[in-house]
Amino acid sequence: MIMARSKYYPKKVYVEAGSRDLSLTKRILKNLPKVPIEIISRPQELIEKVKALKDPVEDGKRHLLLTRQKGGFIKPCPCTPQYIGCNYYIINLDLNCPLDCSYCILQTYLTNPLITIHVNVKDLWKQLDIFLHKKKHRALRIGTGELGDSLALDHITENSRDLVSYFRRKKNVYFELKTKTTNIENILKVEPARNIVISWSLNSHKIAQEDEKGAPSVDERIDAARRVLDKGFWLGLHFDPIIRYSGWADDYKEVIKKLLKTVDPSRIAWISLGSLRFPPPLKPIIKKRFPTTKIIYDEFIQGKDGKIRYFKPLRFELYSEIAGFIKKYGGSEIPIYLCMESGEIWERTLGWKPQGKEQVESYLSFPLD
Ligand code: SF4
């Protein structure tokens, strides 16, 4: 696989015949001049072929499929049943990701393991116009990066430029791009706006090195965050998944201290915290694909949503410590929220319990004038 630490190039591009003349397809192929191309009429046959291979996840990352999004591009973030959500909407432009984190939930989404870009973006703009018109009387948080990394393919698609240009005019929308990469060249070329949040997923150095294969180091991510902040964007941060091991607290403290000494805390839109959680079928996949990882061996319970997560007192300890480090080094003004957690854990770790996702949404809103 051609997967540099920050730039990905596929071994081959498959273009669905009906998508070959679309402008995004042409742009992508122009950005991949040396990569072989095959026009196919039945993507499902290719998907089934890759699914039958020994490691479909690994093989799927080698190949890029350009096709149409046949359903809607915009969906409410599924969050997880029984826990407090944050009223987030996601845009599904890309599916799958060239990085290879051991804990990545996409490894269980084997209906299509190929890295897939939905190239019918004209439909996206139309759908967005209608969607935002319907919601024009309320503030919205919307982003990409749910079924992949928002910037990992950006040197190929240049989608960030178009998305930022579209959303910068939408004054009731907070638009977020979420990444672990340093692929920020296009971001640095577009005009920033107050409602555009560029976010990084961070972890301890140990987890980043051992369990986030292909991702830039934590220091490189923090440096990229500083550069987009200097350019004038707002910054989001996601410590997710937080993972326990001997010495975790000191390791997370070190990263948070370095982060909050490097970037201006008053320009941080939000920080989310989420602890390791996974559906049971992911465990054997992690075991097989990452035989040396230790992250799946700890005191877990099965949560109300069926996912495996740390025993409650352990989650409480993780969030309390990490929120404490953020307050110590960045002050108490940075909005911190918990991803997929119960009201009880909110109350015990952050000192308040939202009455529902609307309250989380308004807590995370900031003035856009
Ligand atoms: S960066 Fe995100 S989407 Fe990509 S492999 Fe890691 S967890 Fe999965």
Side-chain angles (χ1 to χ4, degrees):
M1 182 184 350
I2 311 165
M3 188 165 70
R5 275 163 68 85
S6 54
K7 288 252 167 67
Y8 160 80
Y9 290 95
K11 219 169 105 186
K12 188 164 179 182
V13 190
Y14 295 90
V15 183
E16 186 184 16
S19 303
R20 67 202 292 182
D21 295 325
L22 297 177
S23 56
L24 182 54
T25 302
K26 289 182 188 159
R27 184 201 282 173
I28 291 169
L29 297 182
K30 194 169 119 250
N31 285 334
L32 297 173
K34 294 188 184 143
V35 179
I37 301 162
E38 185 178 331
I39 308 293
I40 55 170
S41 46
R42 289 186 203 84
Q44 198 54 40
E45 279 178 12
L46 170 68
I47 290 168
E48 294 305 325
K49 218 167 103 189
V50 173
K51 276 165 71 179
L53 296 171
K54 198 167 157 230
D55 186 348
V57 178
E58 170 81 23
D59 207 83
K61 289 175 190 290
R62 294 193 178 119
H63 299 104
L64 185 61
L65 172 64
L66 308 186
T67 184
R68 286 169 184 266
Q69 169 65 273
K70 294 179 180 92
F73 274 99
I74 311 148
K75 304 245 157 65
C77 181
C79 187
T80 199
Q82 318 287 338
Y83 293 91
I84 295 179
C86 63
N87 234 6
Y88 196 80
Y89 286 88
I90 48 180
I91 299 173
N92 292 328
L93 255 174
D94 308 337
L95 170 67
N96 292 319
C97 169
L99 310 185
D100 201 9
C101 304
S102 64
Y103 51 76
C104 181
I105 195 164
L106 298 178
Q107 296 173 99
T108 53
Y109 283 23
L110 290 180
T111 46
N112 173 9
L114 280 96
I115 296 193
T116 302
I117 301 174
H118 297 121
V119 281
N120 52 326
V121 278
K122 266 195 181 167
D123 294 334
L124 168 66
W125 308 128
K126 269 190 227 150
Q127 288 176 25
L128 273 170
D129 283 345
I130 296 167
F131 174 78
L132 296 180
H133 181 73
K134 282 190 194 149
K135 311 255 181 213
K136 66 182 175 203
H137 298 301
R138 52 170 279 203
L140 277 177
R141 287 170 72 234
I142 187 163
T144 64
E146 186 63 23
L147 299 178
D149 180 290
S150 297
L151 296 180
L153 303 174
D154 203 51
H155 55 295
I156 299 173
T157 65
E158 302 174 39
N159 276 336
S160 68
R161 250 182 16 203
D162 300 334
L163 287 162
V164 171
S165 304
Y166 178 88
F167 279 106
R168 64 195 319 283
R169 293 175 278 121
K170 310 291 174 192
K171 295 303 177 199
N172 63 325
V173 181
Y174 302 90
F175 175 68
E176 181 180 33
L177 291 167
K178 200 190 295 179
T179 190
K180 283 192 181 96
T181 74
T182 52
N183 211 1
I184 53 172
E185 284 85 353
N186 292 321
I187 292 292
L188 294 177
K189 283 185 210 148
V190 282
E191 196 57 30
R194 198 164 159 75
N195 64 330
I196 309 292
V197 178
I198 314 294
S199 294
W200 269 267
S201 296
L202 293 180
N203 222 305
S204 69
H205 293 289
K206 178 179 160 68
I207 295 297
Q209 271 162 21
E210 294 177 5
D211 287 279
E212 295 179 345
K213 197 168 130 195
S217 71
V218 173
D219 286 344
E220 287 168 317
R221 291 179 227 176
I222 293 176
D223 187 56
R226 180 194 54 75
R227 291 172 66 202
V228 301
L229 206 76
D230 288 350
K231 170 83 187 178
F233 288 97
W234 281 69
L235 182 63
L237 295 152
H238 302 279
F239 285 91
D240 197 349
I242 303 165
I243 296 178
R244 267 169 44 92
Y245 54 88
S246 166
W248 65 266
D250 284 342
D251 287 2
Y252 282 97
K253 180 162 80 176
E254 185 191 340
V255 170
I256 290 164
K257 188 174 171 187
K258 158 102 194 254
L259 167 75
L260 296 172
K261 281 188 182 306
T262 308
V263 303
D264 175 359
S266 71
R267 301 283 306 289
I268 296 176
W270 47 68
I271 299 184
S272 79
L273 308 181
S275 56
L276 180 65
R277 57 208 175 275
F278 52 89
L282 185 58
K283 189 169 174 177
I285 298 176
I286 298 178
K287 243 178 170 171
K288 190 169 158 209
R289 296 197 63 243
F290 302 93
T292 57
T293 189
K294 298 184 184 60
I295 65 167
I296 45 177
Y297 308 102
D298 207 320
E299 291 179 54
F300 293 115
I301 50 134
Q302 190 155 17
K304 287 182 258 174
D305 56 355
K307 286 187 187 147
I308 307 295
R309 52 186 70 218
Y310 293 125
F311 188 47
K312 207 189 280 176
L314 303 183
R315 284 169 19 232
F316 171 69
E317 190 191 5
L318 286 173
Y319 299 135
S320 300
E321 290 276 344
I322 291 184
F325 300 146
I326 294 170
K327 285 182 186 142
K328 178 170 178 188
Y329 297 110
S332 51
E333 299 299 309
I334 302 173
I336 303 173
Y337 71 100
L338 302 182
C339 188
M340 301 188 194
E341 268 304 345
S342 64
E344 184 194 348
I345 295 275
W346 272 80
E347 181 92 65
R348 290 181 64 193
T349 55
L350 300 182
W352 72 288
K353 173 179 154 186
Q355 290 315 305
K357 54 189 181 181
E358 288 75 19
Q359 205 181 350
V360 180
E361 183 180 68
S362 66
Y363 165 65
L364 296 175
S365 302
F366 53 89
L368 290 177
D369 302 328

